Amino acid sequence: MINLANRKNAPASAVREGRFSFAAILSGLFLAAFALFILDITVGPVHIPIKDILKVVGGMEIDSTGITNIIEKIRIPKAIAAVLVGAALAASGLLMQTLFRNPLAGPDVLGITSGASLGVSLVMLAGGAIPTVQAIKQTGALGGWIIVVAASMGSALVLLVVLAISAKVKDNASLMIIGIMAGALTISLVSLMLYLASPEQIQDYLMWTFGTIGGVSGKHLWTLGSVVAGGLGLALAASKPLNILLIGENYARSLGLSVFRSRILIIAATCLLSGSVTAFCGPIGFIGLAVPHLCRALLHTSDHLRLILAACVMGSIVVLACDIVTQLPGSRSLMPLNVMTSIVGAPVVIWVIARVKHRKSPF
């Protein structure tokens, strides 16, 4: 990590560089994301020729109005939602891992998505509805913003509690357990509120908790896109403080960095990113935990400006790929998105644990 004997150059030395061109790697990721974006639009219960999809995506008209509506109103919004979800969760996971200096930190692990679920549940139940995919889809533009605000506040509440405890508990394993307990507590509160709901409503709620991007369309897609763009803007603004925080808070303070302001900036970005995704798509696991490690392994850098950009594209790639597989080619059934993200994320977590065991620092 950092040699304290070279304090003057410590922030720069904290940013390790790889041998390969960042621009070349990022260009390759963009191409892969675009290819998966088109493939995601082609997959579905209704077969649509690729030439028709390319025409509609390119703004050209085709003979069938029904096919045009399927592409424009269902598949393109779902693919865009996959891109937004992947970028938001991957970036928020990267912020959490650096803020807590913990390679296993992530929005779902620290209970942040559970806090967002609690916020959504409180708002929906206050309006006499259960937080289900269909109920959220039927909310108006104002309702969508209210849900996002509630989810972000729920995320912030859990994150602030975990952050306050982390000031006293330095052990990473203990901090992870605290995060898991915070998540369990919020889930139990939601379960208590659902106790009086009908079995059909509970079943619909469980489908929302499995994670889905198919319910985001129209006005809610604009809301999700706006909030994710704002959150990513804050994340990019925090890239320099994140680089300095890698070398420790005490040393960061000696360099003139306001650790308090940096934390607020990182927390605000994380809550907007993870909260907005959870509000419309339900709690989606492993993306925020696994993708940052994939980017570090690919780029061999700890420069957060580059890592955030790469994580956004890599996260989009992973979610698009998972969404394609969940559509079960040849079948009209859909697998829950969390099934595939777990299949991708669990091996990465095992790899991270094995890697950390042999290194003093995972960053």
Side-chain angles (χ1 to χ4, degrees), residues 34-261:
F34 179 74
L36 287 171
F37 184 88
I38 298 297
L39 183 59
D40 193 37
I41 296 173
T42 63
V43 178
V46 177
H47 173 70
I48 302 176
I50 185 69
K51 63 179 182 180
D52 289 345
I53 290 174
L54 292 176
K55 284 182 179 178
V56 174
V57 172
M60 300 171 65
E61 293 185 358
I62 59 175
D63 295 335
S64 173
T65 305
I67 294 297
T68 302
N69 287 334
I70 291 174
I71 296 173
E72 290 183 342
K73 296 182 179 178
I74 298 176
R75 296 194 182 181
I76 290 180
K78 185 165 69 66
I80 294 175
V83 171
L84 294 173
V85 167
L89 292 180
S92 62
L94 176 63
L95 299 183
M96 288 297 90
Q97 289 171 9
T98 302
L99 179 63
F100 288 99
R101 295 178 60 78
N102 190 326
L104 295 180
D108 50 322
V109 178
L110 293 175
I112 297 170
T113 53
S114 299
S117 301
L118 177 62
V120 174
S121 299
L122 285 173
V123 168
M124 296 297 291
L125 290 169
I130 299 293
T132 64
V133 175
Q134 195 60 32
I136 292 173
K137 198 172 181 178
Q138 290 175 351
T139 58
L142 178 61
W145 282 103
I146 292 174
I147 291 172
V148 170
V149 171
S152 299
M153 291 181 67
S155 299
L157 177 63
V158 174
L159 183 54
L160 289 173
V161 169
V162 175
L163 195 61
I165 297 174
S166 71
K168 298 182 180 298
V169 180
K170 301 297 182 183
D171 179 60
N172 282 346
S174 299
L175 188 60
M176 300 305 300
I177 294 172
I178 291 169
I180 293 171
M181 291 302 103
L185 179 61
T186 54
I187 290 173
S188 67
L189 291 175
V190 174
S191 301
L192 184 62
M193 288 186 288
L194 292 172
Y195 178 70
L196 298 177
S198 67
E200 292 78 12
Q201 289 176 316
I202 293 176
Q203 184 177 4
D204 290 342
Y205 169 77
L206 289 176
M207 291 303 297
W208 178 73
T209 62
F210 288 158
T212 177
I213 55 176
V216 186
S217 60
K219 51 188 178 295
H220 288 165
L221 188 62
W222 283 104
T223 305
L224 177 62
S226 301
V227 178
V228 169
L232 291 177
L234 293 179
L236 290 172
S239 59
K240 189 174 180 180
L242 285 165
N243 287 341
I244 300 176
L245 285 173
L246 279 177
I247 57 179
E249 292 185 0
N250 291 334
Y251 189 48
R253 288 191 182 92
S254 71
L255 292 175
L257 178 70
S258 173
V259 174
F260 177 76
R261 290 180 182 176

